[in-house]
Amino acid sequence: EISACLVGSEMCIRDSIEGGQLVAESSIADWWTEMVERELQPTSIARRIATLRSLTATLRRFGLTWDLSAVRGPAYRPYDRAEGPDARDLEAKLDELEILAEGDDGRSKTLIDARDYAMLVTLYHTAMRRESLVTMLWTETHLDNARPHARAIVKGGSTRRFPLSRRAVSSLRRWRHLRVAQLGRIEDGATVFCGTSGRGKGRTLHPDSVYKRTKYAHGLSGPHGFRHTAATEVFARSNGNLKLASDLLGHANPCLLYTSPSPRDRQKS
């Protein structure tokens, strides 16, 4: 992150370290212009500025007098960046895929529909990130337990337990049945979601493939938008329970909540 925030700002850094003086406003302006020309997202610019602030705070302890108090990052509202699909549209798509997944067991189209149905239900009902979804293993997905659950690798590299709804269990069982019927026995260590044809047949799906299926093949949002929709639904149905919605997302800080609550829901909370 420090390396990223210094891209395009070598003059700014070099002059300040050599002279032990304030960063020239022109250097900051050049750095800012360079980031804008690269068409970085507002979040990326803000993150780089925040990282540079942290770096300067450390350098000040060694006698360097950087002062970036006048540097301001772009304003942005996270909820405008990644809105999830409407819950009713998402439920309608799931109902459609559920019917298609019950088609002819021998058709490759049925196999794809069953996989996508299980994938969408899992994303929605667990609020799992796509990067976590592709790490799910059949050996760590327990569909027959009294409390069905799956384990997947989450942000930071740790493993998290995700409870599975009845619909998620049903969709995963159907996908597993068709996968074995058309692609053969499931090998030890095989991931739950895989390609169904071509060079990717039987191989782990790439996170970008998950994005393309949800966004383009099914006309919904990207997978991250499902987290917004799930959090909003849980928030609304639990009468404004922030802790419950935060636990679903796996956020330690309940302030980091992807919801789009109505004014009435906010008042209840």
Side-chain angles (χ1 to χ4, degrees), residues 88 90-100 117 167:
R88 290 169 295 184
L90 183 50
E91 290 289 350
K93 174 57 71 173
L94 293 179
D95 291 341
E96 175 189 336
L97 285 174
E98 183 177 18
I99 295 172
L100 294 173
Y117 174 51
R167 189 170 194 178

Side-chain angles (χ1 to χ4, degrees), residues 6-19 21-32 66:
L6 300 183
V7 171
S9 60
E10 294 178 2
M11 178 181 66
C12 166
I13 303 300
R14 184 179 64 251
D15 291 350
S16 298
I17 290 180
E18 289 178 356
Q21 299 172 349
L22 297 177
V23 176
E25 291 184 7
S26 59
S27 298
I28 291 294
D30 291 341
W31 182 46
W32 179 275
W66 281 17

Side-chain angles (χ1 to χ4, degrees), residues 114-189:
R115 181 201 62 191
D116 288 1
Y117 174 51
M119 191 164 63
L120 265 62
V121 172
T122 304
L123 284 169
Y124 181 35
H125 287 192
T126 65
M128 195 182 292
R129 293 180 174 88
R130 57 177 167 158
E131 293 84 1
S132 297
L133 185 82
V134 299
T135 67
M136 287 175 59
L137 302 176
W138 282 115
T139 53
E140 294 293 332
T141 302
H142 306 283
L143 305 180
D144 300 320
N145 282 24
R147 295 181 178 179
H149 65 277
R151 293 188 180 277
I153 298 174
V154 296
K155 229 176 180 179
S158 60
T159 302
R160 181 183 163 198
R161 183 179 184 274
F162 293 87
L164 297 174
S165 66
R166 281 178 291 183
R167 189 170 194 178
V169 170
S170 174
S171 66
L172 286 166
R173 280 176 176 162
R174 177 60 177 166
W175 158 237
R176 183 175 61 184
H177 169 73
L178 290 178
R179 186 194 187 286
V180 171
Q182 295 194 33
L183 302 183
R185 186 174 68 90
I186 297 175
E187 302 291 339
D188 292 340

Side-chain angles (χ1 to χ4, degrees), residues 81-86 90 123-124 127-128 211 214 220-232 249 258:
R81 285 189 296 118
E83 291 185 359
D86 183 82
L90 183 50
L123 284 169
Y124 181 35
M128 195 182 292
Y211 181 91
T214 61
L220 299 167
S221 72
H224 195 76
F226 284 47
R227 287 168 59 80
H228 290 243
T229 303
T232 300
L249 296 171
Y258 303 138

Side-chain angles (χ1 to χ4, degrees), residues 26-46:
S26 59
S27 298
I28 291 294
D30 291 341
W31 182 46
W32 179 275
T33 301
E34 188 271 340
M35 287 193 290
V36 172
E37 288 177 348
R38 289 173 59 200
E39 297 183 352
L40 295 181
Q41 292 295 320
T43 50
S44 298
I45 297 176

